Short mmCIF file of all heavy atoms in Angstrom, two decimals:
data_model
loop_
_atom_site.label_atom_id
_atom_site.label_comp_id
_atom_site.label_asym_id
_atom_site.label_seq_id
_atom_site.Cartn_x
_atom_site.Cartn_y
_atom_site.Cartn_z
N MET A 115 -72.10 33.58 65.67
CA MET A 115 -71.53 34.49 66.74
C MET A 115 -71.88 35.92 66.43
O MET A 115 -71.74 36.35 65.31
CB MET A 115 -69.99 34.28 66.83
CG MET A 115 -69.37 35.16 67.80
SD MET A 115 -67.52 35.26 67.81
CE MET A 115 -67.03 33.64 67.30
N ARG A 116 -72.32 36.56 67.44
CA ARG A 116 -72.73 37.99 67.29
C ARG A 116 -71.56 38.85 67.76
O ARG A 116 -71.09 38.71 68.86
CB ARG A 116 -73.99 38.31 68.08
CG ARG A 116 -74.48 39.72 67.91
CD ARG A 116 -75.90 39.83 68.41
NE ARG A 116 -76.29 41.26 68.25
CZ ARG A 116 -76.79 41.97 69.22
NH1 ARG A 116 -77.03 41.41 70.38
NH2 ARG A 116 -77.07 43.22 69.08
N LEU A 117 -71.12 39.77 66.92
CA LEU A 117 -70.01 40.63 67.29
C LEU A 117 -70.58 42.01 67.66
O LEU A 117 -71.43 42.60 67.08
CB LEU A 117 -69.04 40.85 66.06
CG LEU A 117 -68.36 39.55 65.59
CD1 LEU A 117 -67.54 39.84 64.35
CD2 LEU A 117 -67.49 38.96 66.64
N ARG A 118 -69.96 42.45 68.75
CA ARG A 118 -70.39 43.79 69.22
C ARG A 118 -69.65 44.89 68.44
O ARG A 118 -68.60 44.66 67.96
CB ARG A 118 -70.06 44.02 70.70
CG ARG A 118 -70.94 43.22 71.61
CD ARG A 118 -70.70 43.55 73.05
NE ARG A 118 -69.33 43.14 73.40
CZ ARG A 118 -68.77 43.51 74.52
NH1 ARG A 118 -69.44 44.26 75.45
NH2 ARG A 118 -67.55 43.14 74.85
N LYS A 119 -70.29 46.04 68.25
CA LYS A 119 -69.68 47.12 67.52
C LYS A 119 -68.48 47.61 68.33
O LYS A 119 -68.57 47.84 69.53
CB LYS A 119 -70.69 48.23 67.30
CG LYS A 119 -70.18 49.36 66.48
CD LYS A 119 -71.22 50.37 66.15
CE LYS A 119 -70.60 51.49 65.38
NZ LYS A 119 -71.55 52.61 65.24
N MET A 120 -67.36 47.83 67.66
CA MET A 120 -66.18 48.30 68.35
C MET A 120 -66.23 49.80 68.61
O MET A 120 -66.74 50.51 67.74
CB MET A 120 -64.96 47.97 67.48
CG MET A 120 -64.71 46.54 67.25
SD MET A 120 -64.37 45.62 68.80
CE MET A 120 -62.80 46.23 69.23
N PRO A 121 -65.75 50.28 69.75
CA PRO A 121 -65.66 51.70 69.97
C PRO A 121 -64.81 52.44 68.96
O PRO A 121 -63.90 51.78 68.37
CB PRO A 121 -65.07 51.80 71.38
CG PRO A 121 -65.06 50.45 71.93
CD PRO A 121 -65.14 49.52 70.84
N ALA A 122 -64.99 53.64 68.75
CA ALA A 122 -64.18 54.42 67.79
C ALA A 122 -62.73 54.35 68.09
O ALA A 122 -62.35 54.41 69.30
CB ALA A 122 -64.64 55.86 67.77
N GLY A 123 -61.85 54.03 67.16
CA GLY A 123 -60.46 53.96 67.40
C GLY A 123 -59.99 52.57 67.73
O GLY A 123 -58.79 52.32 67.91
N TRP A 124 -60.94 51.59 67.83
CA TRP A 124 -60.55 50.23 68.25
C TRP A 124 -60.78 49.32 67.07
O TRP A 124 -61.62 49.61 66.19
CB TRP A 124 -61.35 49.75 69.43
CG TRP A 124 -60.99 50.33 70.73
CD1 TRP A 124 -61.26 51.61 71.18
CD2 TRP A 124 -60.17 49.71 71.73
NE1 TRP A 124 -60.68 51.77 72.41
CE2 TRP A 124 -60.00 50.64 72.80
CE3 TRP A 124 -59.62 48.44 71.86
CZ2 TRP A 124 -59.33 50.33 73.95
CZ3 TRP A 124 -58.93 48.13 73.04
CH2 TRP A 124 -58.75 49.11 74.06
N GLN A 125 -60.07 48.22 66.96
CA GLN A 125 -60.19 47.29 65.85
C GLN A 125 -60.01 45.87 66.41
O GLN A 125 -59.12 45.60 67.24
CB GLN A 125 -59.17 47.56 64.79
CG GLN A 125 -59.17 46.70 63.62
CD GLN A 125 -58.09 46.98 62.60
OE1 GLN A 125 -57.20 47.79 62.91
NE2 GLN A 125 -58.10 46.32 61.51
N CYS A 126 -60.84 45.00 66.03
CA CYS A 126 -60.74 43.52 66.40
C CYS A 126 -59.99 42.78 65.26
O CYS A 126 -60.40 42.92 64.14
CB CYS A 126 -62.17 42.95 66.61
SG CYS A 126 -62.10 41.24 67.05
N VAL A 127 -59.01 41.99 65.57
CA VAL A 127 -58.30 41.19 64.60
C VAL A 127 -58.43 39.73 65.05
O VAL A 127 -58.36 39.43 66.28
CB VAL A 127 -56.85 41.58 64.38
CG1 VAL A 127 -56.78 43.01 63.82
CG2 VAL A 127 -56.04 41.48 65.62
N TRP A 128 -58.44 38.78 64.09
CA TRP A 128 -58.56 37.36 64.39
C TRP A 128 -57.24 36.76 63.96
O TRP A 128 -56.90 36.73 62.80
CB TRP A 128 -59.68 36.71 63.60
CG TRP A 128 -61.02 37.27 64.09
CD1 TRP A 128 -61.70 38.34 63.55
CD2 TRP A 128 -61.82 36.70 65.09
NE1 TRP A 128 -62.85 38.51 64.24
CE2 TRP A 128 -63.00 37.50 65.17
CE3 TRP A 128 -61.77 35.57 65.95
CZ2 TRP A 128 -64.02 37.28 66.08
CZ3 TRP A 128 -62.80 35.33 66.80
CH2 TRP A 128 -63.88 36.19 66.84
N ARG A 129 -56.41 36.27 64.89
CA ARG A 129 -55.19 35.65 64.54
C ARG A 129 -55.11 34.24 65.07
O ARG A 129 -55.93 33.87 65.95
CB ARG A 129 -54.01 36.47 65.03
CG ARG A 129 -53.91 36.60 66.52
CD ARG A 129 -52.84 37.63 66.92
NE ARG A 129 -52.43 37.34 68.25
CZ ARG A 129 -51.23 37.10 68.67
NH1 ARG A 129 -50.28 37.03 67.80
NH2 ARG A 129 -50.98 36.84 69.91
N HIS A 130 -54.10 33.46 64.58
CA HIS A 130 -54.06 32.10 64.95
C HIS A 130 -53.76 31.93 66.49
O HIS A 130 -52.95 32.69 67.07
CB HIS A 130 -52.92 31.41 64.13
CG HIS A 130 -53.03 29.91 64.23
ND1 HIS A 130 -52.49 29.16 65.30
CD2 HIS A 130 -53.47 29.01 63.32
CE1 HIS A 130 -52.67 27.91 65.08
NE2 HIS A 130 -53.27 27.76 63.86
N VAL A 131 -54.40 30.91 67.11
CA VAL A 131 -54.28 30.80 68.54
C VAL A 131 -52.81 30.44 68.92
O VAL A 131 -52.39 30.86 70.09
CB VAL A 131 -55.20 29.66 69.03
CG1 VAL A 131 -54.77 28.31 68.49
CG2 VAL A 131 -55.25 29.63 70.55
N ASN A 132 -52.00 29.90 68.03
CA ASN A 132 -50.60 29.60 68.34
C ASN A 132 -49.65 30.70 67.91
O ASN A 132 -48.41 30.48 67.95
CB ASN A 132 -50.23 28.26 67.78
CG ASN A 132 -50.98 27.12 68.46
OD1 ASN A 132 -51.29 27.20 69.63
ND2 ASN A 132 -51.24 26.08 67.71
N ALA A 133 -50.15 31.81 67.43
CA ALA A 133 -49.26 32.85 66.96
C ALA A 133 -48.39 33.41 68.08
O ALA A 133 -48.87 33.50 69.20
CB ALA A 133 -50.07 33.99 66.29
N PRO A 134 -47.21 33.74 67.74
CA PRO A 134 -46.28 34.28 68.81
C PRO A 134 -46.85 35.69 69.24
O PRO A 134 -47.57 36.33 68.47
CB PRO A 134 -44.89 34.42 68.16
CG PRO A 134 -45.21 34.45 66.69
CD PRO A 134 -46.43 33.62 66.49
N PRO A 135 -46.45 36.15 70.50
CA PRO A 135 -46.88 37.48 70.87
C PRO A 135 -46.27 38.55 70.04
O PRO A 135 -45.19 38.39 69.48
CB PRO A 135 -46.42 37.52 72.33
CG PRO A 135 -45.31 36.51 72.43
CD PRO A 135 -45.59 35.49 71.43
N LYS A 136 -46.83 39.69 70.08
CA LYS A 136 -46.30 40.88 69.35
C LYS A 136 -44.94 41.21 69.94
O LYS A 136 -44.73 41.36 71.14
CB LYS A 136 -47.26 42.08 69.44
CG LYS A 136 -46.71 43.31 68.73
CD LYS A 136 -47.76 44.35 68.68
CE LYS A 136 -47.27 45.67 68.04
NZ LYS A 136 -46.61 45.49 66.73
N PRO A 137 -43.91 41.34 69.12
CA PRO A 137 -42.55 41.65 69.59
C PRO A 137 -42.45 43.12 70.00
O PRO A 137 -43.30 43.90 69.60
CB PRO A 137 -41.67 41.34 68.37
CG PRO A 137 -42.54 41.61 67.19
CD PRO A 137 -43.92 41.15 67.61
N PRO A 138 -41.46 43.43 70.83
CA PRO A 138 -41.30 44.81 71.30
C PRO A 138 -41.03 45.73 70.01
O PRO A 138 -40.50 45.27 69.06
CB PRO A 138 -40.03 44.76 72.15
CG PRO A 138 -39.90 43.30 72.56
CD PRO A 138 -40.46 42.47 71.47
N VAL A 139 -41.47 46.92 70.19
CA VAL A 139 -41.23 47.92 69.13
C VAL A 139 -39.76 47.99 68.73
O VAL A 139 -38.88 48.04 69.63
CB VAL A 139 -41.71 49.32 69.56
CG1 VAL A 139 -41.43 50.42 68.55
CG2 VAL A 139 -43.24 49.31 69.80
N GLY A 140 -39.51 47.95 67.42
CA GLY A 140 -38.12 48.00 66.94
C GLY A 140 -37.49 46.64 66.71
O GLY A 140 -36.41 46.51 66.13
N SER A 141 -38.15 45.59 67.18
CA SER A 141 -37.62 44.21 67.05
C SER A 141 -38.03 43.68 65.70
O SER A 141 -38.99 44.18 65.09
CB SER A 141 -38.17 43.32 68.08
OG SER A 141 -37.84 43.77 69.38
N PRO A 142 -37.28 42.67 65.17
CA PRO A 142 -37.65 42.11 63.86
C PRO A 142 -39.03 41.41 63.92
O PRO A 142 -39.48 40.99 65.03
CB PRO A 142 -36.55 41.04 63.62
CG PRO A 142 -35.45 41.32 64.56
CD PRO A 142 -36.06 42.13 65.78
N CYS A 143 -39.62 41.25 62.77
CA CYS A 143 -40.91 40.58 62.65
C CYS A 143 -40.79 39.14 63.11
O CYS A 143 -39.88 38.48 62.79
CB CYS A 143 -41.40 40.64 61.17
SG CYS A 143 -42.93 39.69 60.89
N ASN A 144 -41.71 38.67 63.98
CA ASN A 144 -41.70 37.30 64.42
C ASN A 144 -42.89 36.53 63.93
O ASN A 144 -43.16 35.43 64.37
CB ASN A 144 -41.63 37.25 65.92
CG ASN A 144 -42.86 37.73 66.63
OD1 ASN A 144 -43.80 38.22 66.00
ND2 ASN A 144 -42.89 37.63 67.96
N GLY A 145 -43.70 37.16 63.00
CA GLY A 145 -44.87 36.49 62.47
C GLY A 145 -46.08 36.48 63.38
O GLY A 145 -46.94 35.62 63.17
N CYS A 146 -46.19 37.41 64.23
CA CYS A 146 -47.37 37.47 65.17
C CYS A 146 -48.62 37.76 64.38
O CYS A 146 -49.71 37.40 64.75
CB CYS A 146 -47.19 38.48 66.28
SG CYS A 146 -47.34 40.21 65.78
N GLY A 147 -48.47 38.46 63.21
CA GLY A 147 -49.57 38.69 62.33
C GLY A 147 -50.31 39.97 62.56
O GLY A 147 -51.17 40.38 61.73
N LEU A 148 -50.07 40.59 63.66
CA LEU A 148 -50.92 41.75 64.06
C LEU A 148 -50.82 42.94 63.04
O LEU A 148 -51.83 43.54 62.75
CB LEU A 148 -50.58 42.24 65.49
CG LEU A 148 -51.08 41.33 66.56
CD1 LEU A 148 -50.59 41.78 67.93
CD2 LEU A 148 -52.58 41.25 66.54
N CYS A 149 -49.65 43.21 62.55
CA CYS A 149 -49.54 44.33 61.65
C CYS A 149 -50.37 44.06 60.35
O CYS A 149 -51.15 44.91 59.93
CB CYS A 149 -48.04 44.58 61.19
SG CYS A 149 -47.01 45.12 62.62
N CYS A 150 -50.14 42.94 59.77
CA CYS A 150 -50.82 42.60 58.48
C CYS A 150 -52.33 42.32 58.65
O CYS A 150 -53.09 42.42 57.71
CB CYS A 150 -50.12 41.43 57.77
SG CYS A 150 -48.37 41.62 57.57
N LEU A 151 -52.74 41.96 59.88
CA LEU A 151 -54.17 41.78 60.15
C LEU A 151 -54.86 43.11 60.39
O LEU A 151 -56.03 43.25 60.11
CB LEU A 151 -54.34 40.88 61.37
CG LEU A 151 -54.04 39.39 61.09
CD1 LEU A 151 -53.96 38.63 62.41
CD2 LEU A 151 -54.99 38.79 60.17
N ALA A 152 -54.08 44.09 60.91
CA ALA A 152 -54.67 45.43 61.17
C ALA A 152 -54.89 46.20 59.88
O ALA A 152 -55.94 46.81 59.70
CB ALA A 152 -53.81 46.24 62.11
N GLU A 153 -53.88 46.25 59.00
CA GLU A 153 -54.00 46.84 57.71
C GLU A 153 -52.89 46.40 56.80
O GLU A 153 -51.84 46.06 57.19
CB GLU A 153 -53.91 48.38 57.90
CG GLU A 153 -52.53 48.92 58.41
CD GLU A 153 -52.55 50.42 58.56
OE1 GLU A 153 -53.56 50.93 58.90
OE2 GLU A 153 -51.50 51.00 58.27
N PRO A 154 -53.21 46.33 55.44
CA PRO A 154 -52.25 45.90 54.49
C PRO A 154 -51.14 46.89 54.30
O PRO A 154 -51.36 48.12 54.38
CB PRO A 154 -53.02 45.69 53.23
CG PRO A 154 -54.46 46.09 53.49
CD PRO A 154 -54.52 46.69 54.88
N CYS A 155 -49.95 46.40 53.97
CA CYS A 155 -48.83 47.32 53.55
C CYS A 155 -49.16 47.76 52.13
O CYS A 155 -50.09 47.39 51.52
CB CYS A 155 -47.52 46.48 53.60
SG CYS A 155 -47.32 45.26 52.36
N PRO A 156 -48.30 48.67 51.61
CA PRO A 156 -48.53 49.15 50.19
C PRO A 156 -48.72 48.03 49.18
O PRO A 156 -49.64 48.12 48.38
CB PRO A 156 -47.29 50.00 49.91
CG PRO A 156 -46.92 50.51 51.26
CD PRO A 156 -47.22 49.36 52.22
N LEU A 157 -47.96 46.98 49.25
CA LEU A 157 -48.13 45.87 48.37
C LEU A 157 -49.48 45.12 48.64
O LEU A 157 -50.23 44.74 47.73
CB LEU A 157 -46.97 44.85 48.40
CG LEU A 157 -47.06 43.65 47.53
CD1 LEU A 157 -47.20 44.01 46.05
CD2 LEU A 157 -45.92 42.72 47.75
N GLY A 158 -49.70 44.95 49.96
CA GLY A 158 -50.91 44.24 50.32
C GLY A 158 -52.19 45.00 49.93
O GLY A 158 -53.20 44.44 49.69
N ARG A 159 -52.07 46.38 49.91
CA ARG A 159 -53.29 47.15 49.51
C ARG A 159 -53.64 46.79 48.04
O ARG A 159 -54.82 46.82 47.64
CB ARG A 159 -52.96 48.64 49.60
CG ARG A 159 -52.85 49.04 51.08
CD ARG A 159 -52.52 50.50 51.21
NE ARG A 159 -52.44 50.82 52.66
CZ ARG A 159 -52.34 52.06 53.11
NH1 ARG A 159 -52.42 53.06 52.28
NH2 ARG A 159 -52.30 52.19 54.39
N LEU A 160 -52.64 46.56 47.20
CA LEU A 160 -52.93 46.25 45.81
C LEU A 160 -53.64 44.91 45.69
O LEU A 160 -54.62 44.72 45.00
CB LEU A 160 -51.61 46.15 45.01
CG LEU A 160 -50.89 47.50 44.83
CD1 LEU A 160 -49.53 47.29 44.13
CD2 LEU A 160 -51.71 48.52 44.15
N TYR A 161 -53.14 43.88 46.48
CA TYR A 161 -53.78 42.58 46.46
C TYR A 161 -55.13 42.62 47.14
O TYR A 161 -56.07 42.03 46.66
CB TYR A 161 -52.91 41.53 47.23
CG TYR A 161 -51.71 41.08 46.45
CD1 TYR A 161 -50.41 41.39 46.81
CD2 TYR A 161 -51.86 40.27 45.33
CE1 TYR A 161 -49.30 40.97 46.11
CE2 TYR A 161 -50.83 39.84 44.58
CZ TYR A 161 -49.56 40.15 45.00
OH TYR A 161 -48.41 39.73 44.30
N SER A 162 -55.23 43.32 48.26
CA SER A 162 -56.47 43.28 49.08
C SER A 162 -57.50 44.26 48.57
O SER A 162 -58.70 44.17 48.87
CB SER A 162 -56.14 43.63 50.55
OG SER A 162 -55.14 42.80 51.04
N ARG A 163 -57.06 45.27 47.75
CA ARG A 163 -57.95 46.30 47.27
C ARG A 163 -58.68 47.02 48.40
O ARG A 163 -59.86 47.35 48.32
CB ARG A 163 -58.97 45.71 46.30
CG ARG A 163 -58.31 45.11 45.04
CD ARG A 163 -59.38 44.66 44.03
NE ARG A 163 -58.71 44.17 42.90
CZ ARG A 163 -59.38 43.76 41.85
NH1 ARG A 163 -60.71 43.80 41.82
NH2 ARG A 163 -58.71 43.33 40.75
N ARG A 164 -57.91 47.26 49.46
CA ARG A 164 -58.40 48.06 50.57
C ARG A 164 -57.25 48.58 51.36
O ARG A 164 -56.12 48.11 51.21
CB ARG A 164 -59.38 47.29 51.45
CG ARG A 164 -58.70 46.07 52.06
CD ARG A 164 -59.78 45.27 52.90
NE ARG A 164 -59.17 44.07 53.40
CZ ARG A 164 -59.79 42.90 53.36
NH1 ARG A 164 -61.01 42.87 52.93
NH2 ARG A 164 -59.24 41.79 53.86
N THR A 165 -57.51 49.61 52.19
CA THR A 165 -56.43 50.22 52.98
C THR A 165 -56.61 49.84 54.46
O THR A 165 -55.72 50.30 55.28
CB THR A 165 -56.44 51.73 52.83
OG1 THR A 165 -57.73 52.25 53.22
CG2 THR A 165 -56.17 52.13 51.38
N ALA A 166 -57.59 49.18 54.85
CA ALA A 166 -57.83 48.84 56.24
C ALA A 166 -58.33 47.37 56.34
O ALA A 166 -58.82 46.82 55.38
CB ALA A 166 -58.84 49.70 56.90
N GLY A 167 -58.08 46.78 57.51
CA GLY A 167 -58.50 45.40 57.70
C GLY A 167 -57.39 44.46 57.27
O GLY A 167 -56.32 44.86 56.85
N PRO A 168 -57.68 43.14 57.44
CA PRO A 168 -56.62 42.15 57.19
C PRO A 168 -56.22 42.05 55.73
O PRO A 168 -56.99 42.22 54.85
CB PRO A 168 -57.22 40.87 57.65
CG PRO A 168 -58.74 41.06 57.61
CD PRO A 168 -58.93 42.54 57.88
N CYS A 169 -54.93 41.79 55.48
CA CYS A 169 -54.40 41.59 54.10
C CYS A 169 -54.75 40.19 53.69
O CYS A 169 -54.69 39.16 54.38
CB CYS A 169 -52.90 41.69 54.13
SG CYS A 169 -52.13 41.39 52.52
N VAL A 170 -55.19 40.14 52.40
CA VAL A 170 -55.65 38.77 51.86
C VAL A 170 -54.40 37.90 51.64
O VAL A 170 -54.63 36.66 51.39
CB VAL A 170 -56.37 38.94 50.52
CG1 VAL A 170 -57.68 39.72 50.73
CG2 VAL A 170 -55.55 39.59 49.41
N LYS A 171 -53.23 38.36 51.69
CA LYS A 171 -52.05 37.57 51.45
C LYS A 171 -51.40 36.99 52.69
O LYS A 171 -50.50 36.15 52.55
CB LYS A 171 -50.97 38.37 50.67
CG LYS A 171 -51.34 38.64 49.20
CD LYS A 171 -51.35 37.33 48.46
CE LYS A 171 -51.74 37.46 47.04
NZ LYS A 171 -51.67 36.19 46.33
N LEU A 172 -51.94 37.34 53.83
CA LEU A 172 -51.34 36.82 55.04
C LEU A 172 -51.75 35.33 55.25
O LEU A 172 -52.90 34.95 55.04
CB LEU A 172 -51.85 37.59 56.27
CG LEU A 172 -51.14 37.23 57.60
CD1 LEU A 172 -49.67 37.58 57.52
CD2 LEU A 172 -51.80 37.99 58.76
N ARG A 173 -50.78 34.52 55.51
CA ARG A 173 -51.02 33.03 55.69
C ARG A 173 -50.49 32.57 57.02
O ARG A 173 -49.59 33.11 57.61
CB ARG A 173 -50.23 32.24 54.57
CG ARG A 173 -50.61 32.65 53.19
CD ARG A 173 -51.93 32.00 52.78
NE ARG A 173 -52.29 32.35 51.38
CZ ARG A 173 -53.06 33.35 51.04
NH1 ARG A 173 -53.54 34.17 51.91
NH2 ARG A 173 -53.34 33.58 49.75
N TRP A 174 -51.06 31.45 57.50
CA TRP A 174 -50.57 30.81 58.63
C TRP A 174 -49.69 29.62 58.24
O TRP A 174 -50.14 28.77 57.43
CB TRP A 174 -51.65 30.29 59.58
CG TRP A 174 -51.15 29.47 60.75
CD1 TRP A 174 -51.26 28.07 60.87
CD2 TRP A 174 -50.48 29.97 61.88
NE1 TRP A 174 -50.63 27.76 61.99
CE2 TRP A 174 -50.17 28.87 62.70
CE3 TRP A 174 -50.03 31.23 62.27
CZ2 TRP A 174 -49.48 28.95 63.88
CZ3 TRP A 174 -49.34 31.30 63.48
CH2 TRP A 174 -49.07 30.22 64.24
N ASP A 175 -48.42 29.48 58.69
CA ASP A 175 -47.52 28.45 58.35
C ASP A 175 -47.52 27.50 59.59
O ASP A 175 -46.88 27.82 60.61
CB ASP A 175 -46.17 28.93 57.99
CG ASP A 175 -45.24 27.81 57.51
OD1 ASP A 175 -45.10 26.83 58.19
OD2 ASP A 175 -44.65 27.99 56.40
N GLU A 176 -48.12 26.35 59.48
CA GLU A 176 -48.16 25.41 60.61
C GLU A 176 -46.81 24.88 61.00
O GLU A 176 -46.49 24.82 62.22
CB GLU A 176 -49.11 24.22 60.21
CG GLU A 176 -49.41 23.31 61.42
CD GLU A 176 -50.30 24.02 62.46
OE1 GLU A 176 -51.23 24.76 62.10
OE2 GLU A 176 -50.01 23.84 63.66
N GLY A 177 -45.94 24.61 60.05
CA GLY A 177 -44.63 24.11 60.33
C GLY A 177 -43.74 25.11 61.07
O GLY A 177 -42.99 24.78 61.92
N MET A 178 -43.83 26.39 60.65
CA MET A 178 -43.03 27.43 61.25
C MET A 178 -43.71 27.98 62.53
O MET A 178 -43.04 28.65 63.30
CB MET A 178 -42.84 28.57 60.22
CG MET A 178 -42.02 28.17 59.01
SD MET A 178 -41.97 29.47 57.77
CE MET A 178 -40.90 30.61 58.54
N GLY A 179 -45.00 27.79 62.60
CA GLY A 179 -45.69 28.27 63.82
C GLY A 179 -45.81 29.78 63.81
O GLY A 179 -45.72 30.38 64.89
N ARG A 180 -46.01 30.36 62.67
CA ARG A 180 -46.07 31.84 62.60
C ARG A 180 -46.85 32.22 61.33
O ARG A 180 -47.00 31.41 60.39
CB ARG A 180 -44.68 32.48 62.56
CG ARG A 180 -43.81 31.94 61.38
CD ARG A 180 -42.52 32.67 61.20
NE ARG A 180 -42.85 34.03 60.69
CZ ARG A 180 -42.01 35.06 60.63
NH1 ARG A 180 -40.78 34.95 61.14
NH2 ARG A 180 -42.36 36.23 60.13
N HIS A 181 -47.29 33.42 61.31
CA HIS A 181 -47.88 33.97 60.13
C HIS A 181 -46.77 34.34 59.07
O HIS A 181 -45.64 34.74 59.49
CB HIS A 181 -48.71 35.28 60.41
CG HIS A 181 -49.91 35.00 61.22
ND1 HIS A 181 -49.94 35.07 62.61
CD2 HIS A 181 -51.17 34.62 60.88
CE1 HIS A 181 -51.15 34.85 63.05
NE2 HIS A 181 -51.91 34.50 62.05
N VAL A 182 -47.09 34.19 57.85
CA VAL A 182 -46.12 34.56 56.79
C VAL A 182 -46.85 35.31 55.71
O VAL A 182 -48.03 35.25 55.52
CB VAL A 182 -45.41 33.32 56.17
CG1 VAL A 182 -44.57 32.60 57.20
CG2 VAL A 182 -46.47 32.38 55.59
N CYS A 183 -46.03 36.07 54.87
CA CYS A 183 -46.58 36.86 53.83
C CYS A 183 -46.62 35.97 52.54
O CYS A 183 -45.68 35.33 52.17
CB CYS A 183 -45.67 38.03 53.50
SG CYS A 183 -46.20 38.94 52.02
N GLY A 184 -47.83 35.85 52.01
CA GLY A 184 -48.01 35.00 50.85
C GLY A 184 -47.82 35.77 49.51
O GLY A 184 -47.97 35.17 48.45
N ALA A 185 -47.43 37.06 49.64
CA ALA A 185 -47.24 37.83 48.37
C ALA A 185 -45.95 37.56 47.70
O ALA A 185 -45.71 37.96 46.59
CB ALA A 185 -47.32 39.37 48.77
N HIS A 186 -45.00 36.84 48.43
CA HIS A 186 -43.69 36.64 47.89
C HIS A 186 -43.44 35.15 47.62
O HIS A 186 -42.31 34.74 47.52
CB HIS A 186 -42.63 37.19 48.80
CG HIS A 186 -42.92 38.58 49.21
ND1 HIS A 186 -42.67 39.68 48.38
CD2 HIS A 186 -43.35 39.13 50.37
CE1 HIS A 186 -43.05 40.81 49.05
NE2 HIS A 186 -43.46 40.50 50.23
N GLY A 187 -44.50 34.40 47.57
CA GLY A 187 -44.32 32.99 47.25
C GLY A 187 -43.78 32.15 48.38
O GLY A 187 -43.36 31.04 48.25
N VAL A 188 -43.86 32.75 49.62
CA VAL A 188 -43.38 32.05 50.83
C VAL A 188 -44.34 30.97 51.27
O VAL A 188 -45.52 31.24 51.27
CB VAL A 188 -43.03 32.97 51.98
CG1 VAL A 188 -42.63 32.23 53.20
CG2 VAL A 188 -42.03 33.99 51.56
S1 LIG B 164 -49.11 39.73 54.18
FE1 LIG B 164 -47.47 40.58 52.92
S2 LIG B 164 -48.44 41.86 51.42
FE2 LIG B 164 -49.90 41.54 53.11
S3 LIG B 164 -49.62 43.32 54.49
FE3 LIG B 164 -48.33 41.63 55.17
S4 LIG B 164 -46.31 41.98 54.28
FE4 LIG B 164 -47.86 43.18 53.10
#
């Protein structure tokens, strides 16, 4: 598959097809995955060794039907 170059300020993320939609701002995390796919949190930066792009610790939980953080043994 050939990917087109993204315009400045845009980012493409690949998330699970069954992931829930992004919740409204201020709502609790629902596992949509978008935050952790866009850039790692401070802990994720240590694991991922980068400050942009998807976190290497993000996992898809089929039973829960959501993305989960793998940095805490979940
Ligand atoms: S998957 Fe966990 S460690 Fe990685 S960015 Fe998300 S919350 Fe942080």
Side-chain angles (χ1 to χ4, degrees):
M115 177 190 325
R116 184 165 177 232
L117 298 177
R118 288 189 295 171
K119 185 176 179 188
M120 297 298 292
W124 286 76
Q125 179 182 8
C126 179
V127 297
W128 297 87
R129 65 190 200 119
H130 195 280
V131 66
N132 293 328
K136 181 170 175 50
V139 174
S141 300
C143 175
N144 68 354
C146 76
L148 287 174
C149 295
C150 305
L151 289 168
E153 65 180 35
C155 72
L157 177 61
R159 290 179 182 191
L160 296 175
Y161 283 112
S162 304
R163 296 184 177 184
R164 60 182 173 223
T165 59
C169 178
V170 298
K171 286 297 182 179
L172 189 64
R173 302 281 182 266
W174 174 254
D175 186 306
E176 190 65 42
M178 296 173 71
R180 58 170 287 167
H181 291 94
V182 295
C183 176
H186 309 287
V188 177

